[in-house]
Amino acid sequence: SRDWDAVHGAFARHRTDERTSVERAVAGLRDTLFSVVQRLGRSIGDGRTADDSIQTQIVRLKRTAAAGASMDDLRREVLSTVDAIGHALQQSRVRQDQLLETLGAELRVLREELQHARAKMETDGLTRVYNRAALDGHLSRLCSIAGLSGDPACLLMVDVDHFKQFNDKHGHLE
């Protein structure tokens, strides 16, 4: 009875740890998605600021042209407008590169956490042996590979009579 209580307690702790790990991974995913949305919003806002700057420069160019300014004045305004557009595009590229680098790093961390959580969910807490969910996933992948390759797949199942007696005699540490 005490052994069963210990096994039950260990199993319950393992499941609690699994649940915590998965919840942490899901929370990390949620935080990452929220971060992506925030950063995209800031990037769009920064883009609007650059757009406003370009729009202001274009209005100045139109006014200069409408005022019948000299060719030199018009040339200066055109060059100034082109410079403003080039500067805005360069800033946008830098912001996008920084955003992609940051998001890539966050996604790599999240991927590692999810892989760790998945590995914990596929093993038995007591024996550390792969469980039924792992077997089902592996069989599904093998069937897909067999279907794609055209090669047959094989599964061997063995039923050992009186295995409990063998396990009791040879399977437990003393």
Side-chain angles (χ1 to χ4, degrees):
S1 177
R2 277 189 231 151
D3 290 341
W4 179 246
D5 289 342
V7 168
H8 179 57
F11 186 74
R13 281 189 302 279
H14 177 71
R15 288 295 177 205
T16 301
D17 290 347
E18 279 182 345
R19 184 179 305 116
T20 302
S21 180
V22 169
E23 287 171 354
R24 195 175 308 130
V26 169
L29 176 61
R30 189 180 324 110
D31 291 345
T32 299
L33 291 176
F34 183 70
S35 175
V36 167
V37 170
Q38 280 184 323
R39 289 183 181 159
L40 287 175
R42 273 188 255 136
S43 180
I44 290 168
D46 291 344
R48 286 186 183 147
T49 301
D51 290 347
D52 291 345
S53 173
I54 292 170
Q55 187 63 33
T56 300
Q57 192 63 40
I58 290 172
V59 168
R60 283 182 51 193
L61 177 61
K62 286 180 183 177
R63 285 185 185 151
T64 302
S70 70
M71 287 302 283
D72 287 338
D73 290 342
L74 192 54
R75 184 179 301 125
R76 276 192 293 276
E77 283 301 320
V78 167
L79 290 175
S80 180
T81 302
V82 169
D83 285 345
I85 292 170
H87 182 69
L89 289 173
Q90 180 62 28
Q91 285 180 330
S92 177
R93 280 189 207 113
V94 168
R95 279 192 311 274
Q96 289 173 355
D97 288 346
Q98 289 171 342
L99 178 64
L100 286 174
E101 185 177 321
T102 302
L103 292 177
E106 289 179 6
L107 288 174
R108 281 189 293 278
V109 168
L110 186 59
R111 183 182 318 128
E112 289 172 9
E113 289 176 3
L114 288 173
Q115 286 173 341
H116 179 71
R118 185 178 297 126
K120 276 184 91 171
M121 288 175 49
E122 290 182 346
T123 56
D124 181 79
L126 183 61
T127 63
R128 304 288 187 231
V129 173
Y130 285 110
N131 61 19
R132 174 64 188 262
L135 175 66
D136 290 346
H138 189 70
L139 289 176
S140 176
R141 287 186 296 275
L142 286 176
C143 288
S144 296
I145 291 170
L148 289 173
S149 69
D151 293 333
C154 178
L155 173 65
L156 174 66
M157 295 182 77
V158 178
D159 182 15
V160 179
D161 290 333
H162 310 291
F163 182 75
K164 183 180 180 336
Q165 293 170 353
F166 176 83
N167 196 33
D168 287 344
K169 184 174 182 183
H170 301 288
H172 299 285
L173 297 176
E174 307 230 7

